[in-house]
Amino acid sequence: MVEEDDKKLVNGGSSRGNRAVIASEAEETEEEELPVEVIDDDEDLLDDYPPDVDEIELVHLRISTIAALKLERFKQVQKLCLRQNHILDIEALETLAATLIDLDLYDNKIGHIHGLEELMNLENLDLSFNKIKHIKRINHLVGLKNLYFVQNRITRIEGLEGMTVLKNLELGANRIREIENIDHLTALEELWLGKNKITELKNLSTLTKLRILSIQSNRLTKIEGLDNLSSLEEFYISHNAITEISGLEHLKNLRVLDVSNNQITKLENLKHLTHLEELWASNNKLSSFEEVEKELSGSEELVTVYFEGNPLQREAVATYRNKIKLALPRVKQIDATFVRM
């Protein structure tokens, strides 16, 4: 188990760096420039790469143009990673079209999407931490399985037509106000929408394979629109304005529920979640140990609970942990501390 701050990092973004919650927990300020190797203008960064290399990774080298890399020399590249550079335009990739599967342009200065027209074999595309305002000119990439747009300037979900095999979509830390234009993404298993301006959970009913839904740090006041998501295993809705736990009736497979930092006054409507392993309910307005026992004592798989920052923790003081242990004897972790057996 991990402490709550670390848990937020784990839950807030995918395995590619927990980007959504890192962005949601910090202000959008310029990061301090770290010292990097100074590259001469005429230096060939790929001089030591063999012509049959299948992976090229050039990170934090102040590269400004892809064309200068002369990628046409390489005929078998499957993964190209150019993270943390100064790239303005996506260009000169057509010679990699036959083999390129994974393109990572995380943390550059890209403002417009183009130059991907011939990359029909792409399965993974990462354009996170750029300056993109519109999702355009990617709907021909019908083989995409993972698509990352974390921390851009996107205001609308669009341009995803044809992506029927997409499994993971990350749009955290943008300026999106509405969940829309995703009903055709029927293969989707993970949807990350943390730190946007979304006010309503809707247009999710066709995403019946969804396992993870993260919509932390938005403007939601109600849990709704989840009736068809019976495959959902992890649901993160912390840092909103939720006042009650409801709308979870059909989520029989839910393992992780995070409702922290809301305005919830009563612990309720959780009894049916028989596979629940982790409940995160810190910093709400919960005051009743009786509700804790009533709703969760029958959850045989429950191992972690977080209730710190609620009246039941603040007012009970020294007896808080003992009361939780008595109510939930199977639990192995209460807040950030393991239970002594």
Side-chain angles (χ1 to χ4, degrees):
M1 298 298 174
V2 291
E3 295 191 5
E4 183 165 14
D5 287 344
D6 295 329
K7 182 69 178 183
K8 288 176 184 176
L9 294 181
V10 172
N11 288 341
S14 74
S15 58
R16 285 214 171 193
N18 307 314
R19 294 159 297 203
V21 146
I22 288 173
S24 73
E25 295 293 322
E27 294 294 328
E28 294 180 25
T29 55
E30 290 293 327
E31 293 185 4
E32 182 181 352
E33 284 289 334
L34 298 175
V36 295
E37 181 182 358
V38 177
I39 305 299
D40 294 334
D41 290 341
D42 60 350
E43 182 174 349
D44 186 352
L45 296 173
L46 298 172
D47 185 48
D48 294 332
Y49 280 69
D52 62 347
V53 67
D54 61 6
E55 183 172 332
I56 293 175
E57 184 171 324
L58 299 171
V59 176
H60 207 192
L61 292 172
R62 294 181 179 172
I63 297 166
S64 58
T65 63
I66 300 175
L69 299 174
K70 300 177 182 177
L71 294 171
E72 60 273 11
R73 292 173 281 175
F74 307 101
K75 307 299 181 183
Q76 298 182 36
V77 178
Q78 295 182 30
K79 179 178 180 179
L80 177 62
C81 177
L82 300 174
R83 282 187 167 213
Q84 296 176 307
N85 284 293
H86 295 172
I87 296 167
L88 295 170
D89 293 303
I90 307 171
E91 57 177 353
L93 296 177
E94 57 276 2
T95 59
L96 306 181
T99 58
L100 194 63
I101 294 173
D102 190 322
L103 177 59
D104 189 341
L105 293 168
Y106 174 106
D107 197 4
N108 277 280
K109 300 181 184 297
I110 298 165
H112 302 280
I113 303 172
H114 52 75
L116 302 175
E117 291 77 15
E118 298 185 38
L119 304 186
M120 300 298 293
N121 295 316
L122 273 188
E123 294 182 5
N124 308 302
L125 175 60
D126 195 337
L127 290 169
S128 298
F129 286 82
N130 279 284
K131 299 180 179 181
I132 296 166
K133 294 182 179 179
H134 304 285
I135 303 174
K136 290 184 177 181
R137 292 178 285 273
I138 63 167
N139 59 356
H140 62 289
L141 303 176
V142 295
L144 276 183
K145 295 179 181 178
N146 299 286
L147 179 58
Y148 308 88
F149 277 113
V150 178
Q151 188 76 60
N152 276 281
R153 300 172 181 175
I154 295 166
T155 58
R156 190 173 181 219
I157 305 174
E158 60 185 339
L160 303 177
E161 299 81 8
M163 295 186 185
T164 55
V165 300
L166 191 68
K167 292 187 176 182
N168 181 19
L169 176 60
E170 295 206 20
L171 291 165
N174 279 285
R175 302 170 183 176
I176 297 166
R177 295 182 179 275
E178 185 175 358
I179 302 173
E180 60 182 338
N181 300 320
I182 61 171
D183 14 347
H184 62 288
L185 304 180
T186 53
L188 207 62
E189 296 180 7
E190 301 183 22
L191 179 59
W192 304 85
L193 294 168
K195 200 189 178 190
N196 278 286
K197 299 180 179 181
I198 297 167
T199 59
E200 184 180 357
L201 276 172
K202 64 178 183 178
N203 297 324
L204 297 168
S205 60
T206 60
L207 309 185
T208 56
K209 294 183 179 179
L210 205 63
R211 294 186 302 103
I212 300 175
L213 175 58
S214 176
I215 193 157
Q216 301 168 330
S217 300
N218 276 277
R219 299 176 179 178
L220 298 168
T221 59
K222 185 178 180 181
I223 302 174
E224 59 188 340
L226 307 179
D227 290 356
N228 288 4
L229 306 189
S230 59
S231 297
L232 202 66
E233 297 178 11
E234 301 178 25
F235 183 36
Y236 306 106
I237 195 168
S238 67
H239 295 85
N240 278 281
I242 306 296
T243 57
E244 63 179 17
I245 299 174
S246 60
L248 306 178
E249 292 79 13
H250 300 278
L251 307 188
K252 305 293 186 181
N253 292 304
L254 202 64
R255 295 186 301 103
V256 180
L257 175 62
D258 185 354
V259 293
S260 302
N261 294 85
N262 280 287
Q263 303 295 318
I264 299 168
T265 58
K266 185 177 182 180
L267 200 67
E268 59 186 343
N269 300 320
L270 297 175
K271 283 183 181 179
H272 65 288
L273 301 178
T274 56
H275 296 294
L276 196 65
E277 298 174 11
E278 301 184 17
L279 173 64
W280 297 73
S282 302
N283 300 310
N284 279 283
K285 298 180 179 181
L286 301 172
S287 59
S288 171
F289 288 98
E290 289 75 18
E291 290 172 5
V292 172
E293 183 174 9
K294 177 182 175 183
E295 291 297 317
L296 301 175
S297 60
S299 301
E300 297 185 0
E301 298 176 29
L302 188 66
V303 293
T304 300
V305 294
Y306 268 78
F307 290 116
E308 61 186 355
N310 282 285
L312 63 81
Q313 180 259 326
R314 293 196 304 268
E315 294 171 7
V317 194
T319 61
Y320 158 68
R321 287 180 57 80
N322 284 333
K323 287 184 176 181
I324 294 294
K325 283 194 287 185
L326 287 171
L328 307 174
R330 299 185 188 91
V331 164
K332 297 179 180 179
Q333 183 179 344
I334 300 171
D335 301 330
T337 307
F338 287 105
V339 174
R340 292 182 181 179
M341 305 304 290

